[in-house]
């Protein structure tokens, strides 16, 4: 639910609120890769390229391990 809300907030341009929800999603399920990708986009929109890169890197690591979707 946090992931879906984070995506909705991101679509509406409410990036800081989106980040909060996406961080909740990764706290609850750190192996779920998709929220990290969305976090990367939101951080990039806010100009925080360091945090964006970290989020994208985490997404890539999890994706390699086969945990890129919610079903896994």
């Amino acid at each position: 639910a946090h992931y879906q809300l984070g995506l909705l907030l991101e679509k509406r341009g409410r990036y800081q609120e989106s980040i909060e929800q996406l961080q909740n999603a990764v706290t609850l399920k750190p192996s779920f890769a998709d929220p990290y990708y969305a976090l990367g986009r939101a951080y990039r929109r806010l100009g925080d390229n360091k945090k964006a890169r970290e989020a994208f890197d985490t997404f890539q690591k999890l994706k390699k391990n086969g945990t890129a979707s919610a079903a896994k």
Side-chain angles (χ1 to χ4, degrees):
H2 290 290
Y3 171 62
Q4 294 297 324
L5 181 55
L7 293 179
L8 177 65
L9 291 165
E10 180 190 11
K11 281 184 181 182
R12 294 188 176 180
R14 295 165 57 181
Y15 301 112
Q16 190 58 48
E17 293 170 272
S18 172
I19 287 169
E20 292 169 15
Q21 292 302 316
L22 294 167
Q23 286 174 332
N24 286 335
V26 299
T27 297
L28 292 171
K29 189 170 183 186
S31 64
F32 181 24
D34 294 348
Y36 291 101
Y37 191 82
L39 272 169
R41 289 191 312 247
Y43 281 129
R44 188 174 54 204
R45 290 281 189 164
L46 291 177
D48 193 336
N49 293 325
K50 182 179 182 223
K51 285 186 179 178
R53 176 56 31 216
E54 290 171 1
F56 288 135
D57 288 346
T58 301
F59 170 78
Q60 286 297 328
K61 287 177 192 172
L62 291 172
K63 185 178 173 188
K64 271 187 174 178
N65 293 332
T67 58
S69 70
K72 294 184 179 178

